[in-house]
Amino acid sequence: MSDLARHIDSLSRASVLCVGDVMLDRFVYGSVERVSPEAPIPVLRIERETAMLGGAGNVAANVMALGAGCRFVSVVGEDAAGLELVRLIAKETGDGGGLIAEPGRQTTVKTRFIGGRQQLLRADAETIAAIESEEEVMVAARTGMLTVGAVILSDYGKGVLTDGLVAQLIHAAREAGLPVVVDPKGDDFGRYRGASVVTPNRKELMLATGMPADTDAEVESACRYLIETCGIDAVVATRSERGMSVVTRDQATHLPAKAREVFDVSGAGDTVVATLTSALSVGVDLADAARLANLAAGIVVGKVGTAVVRAPELLSALHEQEWRSGEQKVAALAQAVEWAERWRARGKRVGFTNGCFDLLHPGHISLLNQAKAACDVLVVGLNSDASVKRLKGETRPVQAETARATVLASLACVDLVVVFGEDTPETLIRALRPDVLVKGADYTIATVVGADFVQSYGGKVVLAELVDGQSTTNTIKRMKL
């Protein structure tokens, strides 16, 4: 365990070159209230649109989320979607210069139309043809290899990784002493000859070998067949609920799945290859790198859509048993937003309340129980020490935020605690978009911070009954008598 924890810390020093098929994943959200009079189809009233990196771009996003550096090289079209990808890559990696615009090529865009919580349609626009800019890609890749510790080839079969380019990339990387990890596509793994590791899923493994891959022994045999016939050093086969198998010429290790709850497997392969390669880039051996990748896969399949895993999440999962009733329920804002989206996608109502909760008393417990009764999952916003000091004076808080967060997290009625440093939870509420907002009855709905915002999208504001005579200030006064 301690070795894996040290490896997680080392990911901040990792640096990876990723070459592959980049895509723009666009999501169009809205509501459906009627059927079109023109055809028996729903009418989507569009409310918002978002765009994120897809394909090999999601691999790069996963590398960056771990705290590692990523040089990214791919090919886009000379179109608006290509420009948007340049912007997104630059935002994610700090450098969008590795995207090569090819005339006459259409950037791959996958647009998903979502009504409420239901995906209604996916529309794809793309060019599936071999690129004509292999030389430019190689120049950019060779430059990237000068400053990284490992290389990822993320093959989605859209034409960037041609047979000739794959061979050149693997040769150049191995010549530079860099491990090459391939997330493969298709049934011919011979085109990846010379790769350090390939990471097929169970279906891809069976397609490439024509062999069964149900039991550990069958998977091991199929992986060894690839190693011997395709000139690959090792195979890391992902097997969904059966975990992961790490097979080399000399040995095989079968790792059980780490997911407590599988919600969405979208992009899990991207997370595996990103984590595995980031670890290899800083000298972690293949077995431990695979253990970290398996741990990351267990986290990401519990999230909604194509998601990323962060180093603190890996560390938290590593110590899950020790932290399960305490620190695991204390989250940063970005993680809390992901959890809230996940809960809502499962049809749960997300509730929110906030406060200083300094010296927890029966009044606090009553508020929290009433808040939980009004929703399915309750997120509590907790004022930081600095925030409490500004609001309550120099002698407060009595308990530090770590202690206050730990006490709150131990309560069965509290599902998540988020510490915030502002004087009000306005930013937190706008990020979480709770379905139910709860405050004490000493407020009116008009004076509750965030009430107007929550009500604007149909959320509910609840005023909880107060317990007479209960306050932290009064408790402190009695202690001084």
Side-chain angles (χ1 to χ4, degrees), residues 181-203:
V181 180
V182 180
D183 191 1
K185 191 75 172 179
D187 59 1
D188 178 16
F189 283 19
R191 61 197 298 266
Y192 306 124
R193 184 171 298 276
S196 309
V197 186
V198 293
T199 61
N201 59 33
R202 177 176 167 272
K203 182 179 179 181

Side-chain angles (χ1 to χ4, degrees), residues 24 26 76-87 105 107 109:
L24 183 66
R26 197 182 300 282
V76 296
E78 291 184 331
D79 49 27
L83 290 174
E84 189 166 5
L85 280 171
V86 171
R87 180 183 62 80
R105 189 174 187 87
T107 302
V109 181

Side-chain angles (χ1 to χ4, degrees), residues 177-326:
L178 302 175
V180 183
V181 180
V182 180
D183 191 1
K185 191 75 172 179
D187 59 1
D188 178 16
F189 283 19
R191 61 197 298 266
Y192 306 124
R193 184 171 298 276
S196 309
V197 186
V198 293
T199 61
N201 59 33
R202 177 176 167 272
K203 182 179 179 181
E204 290 166 338
L205 181 61
M206 291 190 296
L207 181 66
T209 62
M211 300 169 65
D214 290 319
T215 67
D216 288 354
E218 289 174 345
V219 169
E220 187 174 339
S221 295
C223 291
R224 287 244 161 78
Y225 175 82
L226 287 180
I227 290 170
E228 296 300 329
T229 61
C230 299
I232 295 164
D233 293 346
V235 178
V236 175
T238 56
R239 303 168 60 191
S240 298
E241 72 279 358
R242 297 183 185 180
M244 181 182 291
S245 295
V246 185
V247 182
T248 65
R249 285 182 171 82
D250 303 322
Q251 62 183 20
T253 304
H254 304 286
L255 307 174
K258 294 296 183 181
R260 294 190 308 275
E261 179 181 26
V262 177
F263 182 69
D264 192 339
V265 297
S266 301
D270 295 338
T271 300
V272 167
V273 73
T275 309
L276 181 77
T277 313
S278 296
L280 292 175
S281 77
V282 287
V284 178
D285 65 55
L286 179 61
D288 279 351
R291 289 186 177 92
L292 288 181
N294 193 40
L295 195 65
I299 297 169
V300 81
V301 296
K303 299 184 177 185
V304 178
T306 51
V308 297
V309 173
R310 297 175 177 81
E313 293 178 277
L314 275 178
L315 195 59
S316 178
L318 186 62
H319 298 297
E320 176 183 355
Q321 295 303 315
E322 178 183 352
W323 291 359
R324 193 164 187 176
S325 63

